Amino acid sequence: MTPRVKEILRNYEGNVPGVLANIARLLMTGRLAGTGRLVILPVDQGFEHGPARSFAVNPAGYDPHYHFQLGIDAGCNAYAAPLGFLEAGAAEYAGQIPLILKLNNNDSLFESKDPNSAITGSVHDALRLGCCAVGYTIYPGSAHSQEMYNHLREIAQEAKSHGLAVVVWSYPRGSGLSKEGETGIDIVAYAAQIAAQLGAHIVKVKVPSNHIEQAAAKKVYESEKIPIGTPAERIRHVVQSTFQGRRIVIFSGGAKGEDQKIFDEARGIRDGGGFGSIIGRNSFQRPRPQALEFLSTVMKIYGEELI
């Protein structure tokens, strides 16, 4: 184990040894092992957006085994997916890549400005599949957010008692937020703080913009001259909001976009002290050779092989 990983683990004092071992397993796997940086492959989009929208552009992705092998061959730190996809390959790929079971999911068949997610897996499922962590999505700003917070508290308590790490997708969304506000710097930083306060070991948020949604927050950002002018400054503020970097915070890759945009975001995350990325559609929605090359470039940026 490297000094950097030991330093990160010291931020989780009070956790049981099993949790620390599983966080270490995530940090010591793959191409970025030991650096303190993470690139995780998440594939929950088939449930969230539908199979054709997710996999038709690269039909190999309909097969759950494809994603296990992609994560392994790319050198990802972990692979995250809902129950069905993990059950379809966990035995075949046992021990080859750390797994994160996504315990709740939403679908796009009924659109709502105030989303909620169904619980689609359990801590018991994660244990029997050999996972090192569970994942859970919350929507701060949704009319259903309090219900989600209550469910997360119960799930996190159970997971930690069994030595599993807890990863929280914290995506602000709701009728009280504008579309621009969902990625506003004040809202993303708030969402990261909420996830950490709810007991997340690893927090996943979107890359923030320089938009400030809340009038009360805008006054503070201006009076205290909080620097948010560059991507790295905004990332640094989100990390600061996640217990001054005492919790791992990683950033979503989002919908498939231009490679250079994703690479520039990775540089901003790296330079702002972020811990890495969780990249799904930008990796599996392209032919396998291109996906491997793309992920290799992202990891080179995080590994400081590319400036």
Side-chain angles (χ1 to χ4, degrees), residues 148-184:
M148 286 179 267
Y149 299 166
N150 286 333
H151 287 160
L152 175 56
R153 184 198 64 79
E154 295 173 1
I155 286 169
Q157 183 180 42
E158 183 183 3
K160 291 173 184 179
S161 74
H162 290 287
L164 295 177
V166 177
V167 184
V168 175
W169 279 241
S170 193
Y171 287 169
R173 202 171 297 168
S175 53
L177 292 175
S178 69
K179 188 65 178 177
E180 189 178 21
E182 292 177 5
T183 54

Side-chain angles (χ1 to χ4, degrees), residues 185 212 217 220-229 233 237 240:
I185 180 60
I212 300 175
V220 176
Y221 279 81
E222 291 176 347
S223 66
E224 300 303 319
K225 297 181 172 57
I226 299 173
I228 58 170
E233 287 174 338
H237 179 60
Q240 180 186 44

Side-chain angles (χ1 to χ4, degrees), residues 103-280:
L103 293 187
N104 68 334
N105 289 276
N106 196 12
D107 64 64
S108 59
L109 296 175
F110 177 77
E111 296 288 352
S112 173
K113 291 183 178 179
D114 291 290
N116 198 359
S117 294
I119 296 176
T120 56
S122 68
V123 170
H124 175 74
D125 291 324
L127 291 168
R128 68 180 175 83
L129 293 172
C131 297
C132 66
V134 296
Y136 190 89
T137 297
I138 57 174
Y139 295 109
S142 169
H144 307 289
S145 61
Q146 305 301 308
E147 178 185 348
M148 286 179 267
Y149 299 166
N150 286 333
H151 287 160
L152 175 56
R153 184 198 64 79
E154 295 173 1
I155 286 169
Q157 183 180 42
E158 183 183 3
K160 291 173 184 179
S161 74
H162 290 287
L164 295 177
V166 177
V167 184
V168 175
W169 279 241
S170 193
Y171 287 169
R173 202 171 297 168
S175 53
L177 292 175
S178 69
K179 188 65 178 177
E180 189 178 21
E182 292 177 5
T183 54
I185 180 60
D186 59 321
I187 303 300
V188 173
Y190 200 167
Q193 169 80 192
I194 289 171
Q197 293 283 11
L198 287 169
H201 298 113
I202 299 174
V203 176
K204 176 193 176 188
V205 291
K206 294 185 178 181
V207 174
S209 70
N210 62 3
H211 173 75
I212 300 175
E213 177 81 351
Q214 297 179 306
K218 188 171 185 178
K219 292 178 182 178
V220 176
Y221 279 81
E222 291 176 347
S223 66
E224 300 303 319
K225 297 181 172 57
I226 299 173
I228 58 170
T230 68
E233 287 174 338
R234 294 191 289 274
I235 295 295
R236 189 171 293 112
H237 179 60
V238 174
V239 172
Q240 180 186 44
S241 300
T242 317
F243 296 178
Q244 194 69 22
R246 288 184 175 273
R247 294 295 178 265
I248 293 168
V249 56
I250 56 178
F251 295 83
S252 170
K256 189 173 183 298
E258 294 183 3
D259 288 4
Q260 193 57 52
K261 175 179 178 291
I262 306 301
F263 299 154
D264 288 343
E265 285 182 348
R267 289 185 176 91
I269 294 165
R270 178 197 65 194
D271 295 345
F275 290 76
S277 295
I278 182 162
I279 301 177

